[in-house]
Amino acid sequence: QAQLVESGGGLVQAGDSLRLSCTASGRTFSNYAMGWFRQAPGKEREFVATIRWSGGNTYYADSVKGRFTISRDNAKNTVYLQMNSLKPEDTAVYYCAASSYSYAGSYSSRLQYNYWGQGTQVTVSS
């Protein structure tokens, strides 16, 4: 059974940094596109960042561009989200996702992903 498990969330102050990790098990995700999404209370789940299987192609939501960095270590079956200069509006549950589908464009829609983690809470206080 394929599984994604997120970790690294927590409570921080505005301006701080956090690094989220997502470890995959049950299958090899090295050929999958990986992504991070987030969902704030009362809002829809939104795209944050994605990385292709090779790690060479990344794509970010405008709201996090320049502050967040997605990376992956295929040998460890792990994808990371380094979050710097955090803002209160970054507060959300962050979800890791994997896509076994092949698309030419960016993997910025949650409909493009077929594996999801349970999420990790990130809270940024002002």
Side-chain angles (χ1 to χ4, degrees), residues 54-115:
S54 65
N57 290 345
T58 58
Y59 183 69
Y60 298 90
D62 288 343
S63 58
V64 306
K65 202 173 296 183
R67 300 188 297 122
F68 291 10
T69 302
I70 188 171
S71 61
R72 67 191 297 165
D73 185 337
N74 287 336
K76 295 182 178 179
N77 240 11
T78 299
V79 63
Y80 305 97
L81 185 69
Q82 177 67 42
M83 305 186 295
N84 299 328
S85 302
L86 282 162
K87 304 175 181 180
E89 50 264 44
D90 294 319
T91 295
V93 177
Y94 283 71
Y95 296 91
C96 174
S99 174
S100 63
Y101 304 129
S102 179
Y103 296 102
S106 66
Y107 286 74
S108 57
S109 169
R110 55 194 173 115
L111 300 178
Q112 294 173 301
Y113 293 82
N114 48 341
Y115 295 97

Side-chain angles (χ1 to χ4, degrees), residues 16-59:
D16 286 351
S17 298
L18 274 178
R19 188 176 81 156
L20 305 183
S21 299
C22 170
T23 300
S25 62
R27 66 175 59 222
T28 299
F29 285 83
S30 58
N31 291 330
Y32 289 19
M34 303 294 293
W36 286 95
F37 288 74
R38 66 186 182 186
Q39 188 166 17
K43 295 188 177 181
E44 292 190 355
R45 193 170 299 189
E46 65 174 6
F47 167 74
V48 175
T50 185
I51 187 167
R52 292 268 186 167
W53 68 270
S54 65
N57 290 345
T58 58
Y59 183 69

